[in-house]
Amino acid sequence: MKNLFSLSGKVAVVTGGSRGLGAMIARGLVENGVKTYISARNKEELNATAKELNTLGECIAVVADLSTLAGIEEFAKTLNSHESKLDILVNNAGAAWGAPFADFPEQGWDKVMNLNAKSPFFVTQKLLPLLSASASSDRPARVINIASINGINNPRTNNYSYAASKAAVIQMTRHLAADLVKDHININAIAPGFFLSKLTKYLVNDQEALFAKKMVPKERLGQAEDIAGTAIYLSSQASSWMTGHTLVLDGGVIASSGYGEL
């Protein structure tokens, strides 16, 4: 059992891999011997992350706009031109939008739902042949969808489309896992709580220790090792019998029945 968490020699894709949780996951995979493709729209930022990760292993940048079906199809075409199989797909690309309910715009709904809920469905669909080429009954391919505790609990903020999209990701994970289990593709999700990223920086407001003590039972924010370690588990033989589930990674927020006082 000493190799239960070994990922050496595998091939992975991490969407939204240039920063935040995506970059944390990509780093964990690269450091564990995984040839990792990362995608994002910002070419300069993406290439900078790939350059950094290439000092640790093998990382390839692919510029892509996954908010449209055309962009997803072009992304899949690029991957197919480089790889004959894919072991791990991490659907992480996402966006958020906040506005009062009475003023919440259609643009803020459509932009977030397209990237957070529609994109992982069609990225998985278009990369299914590559995943199937890797999959077997004893070594299933893996899809990891990045959800959020906002899709489980009332976030008590006005990010309506974000919360709805992440709830959709959790249900989509269950649905697709059941449909693709006979294809030997395990599909699970991670629902992160508070990690310091572009999406949460406005909440933390440069007072990380105070915010964490007030909002998180374990009194700290999530760290790179937390999200990377969970993704490694879901990518490894250790989780080969697990599919259709969402792992809550939040320092005890959901278990403690919600957030602290805002």
Side-chain angles (χ1 to χ4, degrees), residues 13-173:
V13 167
V14 181
T15 69
S18 64
R19 64 187 182 198
L21 296 180
M24 295 176 196
I25 292 170
R27 179 175 183 136
L29 294 175
V30 168
E31 286 189 329
N32 281 273
V34 180
K35 180 181 181 181
T36 305
Y37 290 83
I38 59 173
S39 74
R41 287 181 292 182
N42 187 314
K43 182 178 180 179
E44 183 177 339
E45 190 174 58
L46 183 68
N47 286 338
T49 300
K51 182 179 179 179
E52 178 184 348
L53 294 184
N54 268 313
T55 65
L56 306 170
E58 188 172 8
C59 182
I60 302 98
V62 180
V63 178
D65 179 1
L66 303 181
S67 65
T68 68
L69 185 57
I72 291 169
E73 289 175 337
E74 184 63 28
F75 180 57
K77 182 179 178 181
T78 298
L79 290 173
N80 273 284
S81 70
H82 288 86
E83 299 295 336
S84 59
K85 68 180 183 67
L86 177 64
D87 302 297
I88 304 158
L89 167 62
V90 181
N91 286 311
N92 169 75
W97 195 295
F101 174 68
D103 304 317
F104 202 91
E106 182 181 21
Q107 180 188 4
W109 186 269
D110 291 347
K111 176 183 177 180
V112 172
M113 292 299 287
N114 280 344
L115 189 55
N116 293 9
K118 175 182 173 182
S119 170
F121 179 88
F122 284 104
V123 169
T124 304
Q125 182 192 72
K126 300 306 177 186
L127 295 183
L128 185 60
L130 286 178
L131 289 164
S132 295
S134 164
S136 65
S137 59
D138 59 335
R139 299 283 174 176
R142 313 303 172 95
V143 176
I144 303 171
N145 296 322
I146 304 303
S148 169
I149 58 171
N150 284 187
I152 299 170
N153 218 32
N154 183 346
R156 292 168 61 184
T157 60
N158 57 14
N159 58 346
Y160 299 104
S161 54
Y162 180 82
S165 71
K166 294 304 185 178
V169 167
I170 292 169
Q171 175 58 16
M172 179 172 59
T173 297

Side-chain angles (χ1 to χ4, degrees), residues 115-241:
L115 189 55
N116 293 9
K118 175 182 173 182
S119 170
F121 179 88
F122 284 104
V123 169
T124 304
Q125 182 192 72
K126 300 306 177 186
L127 295 183
L128 185 60
L130 286 178
L131 289 164
S132 295
S134 164
S136 65
S137 59
D138 59 335
R139 299 283 174 176
R142 313 303 172 95
V143 176
I144 303 171
N145 296 322
I146 304 303
S148 169
I149 58 171
N150 284 187
I152 299 170
N153 218 32
N154 183 346
R156 292 168 61 184
T157 60
N158 57 14
N159 58 346
Y160 299 104
S161 54
Y162 180 82
S165 71
K166 294 304 185 178
V169 167
I170 292 169
Q171 175 58 16
M172 179 172 59
T173 297
R174 287 190 289 256
H175 195 162
L176 291 182
D179 286 353
L180 298 180
V181 68
K182 291 183 179 179
D183 295 302
H184 311 305
I185 298 173
N186 288 8
I187 304 180
N188 293 291
I190 304 171
F194 290 110
F195 284 75
L196 193 58
S197 68
K198 186 177 180 180
L199 289 177
T200 60
K201 191 174 182 180
Y202 78 99
L203 287 171
V204 177
N205 196 25
D206 297 323
Q207 298 186 60
E208 181 177 336
L210 180 62
F211 178 88
K213 186 172 182 179
K214 183 178 180 181
M215 301 292 285
V216 184
K218 288 189 72 66
E219 298 189 354
R220 71 167 175 84
L221 300 186
Q223 299 172 355
E225 292 86 352
D226 299 316
I227 190 74
T230 305
I232 288 167
Y233 165 66
L234 290 177
S235 300
S236 72
Q237 191 64 16
S239 65
S240 63
W241 208 46

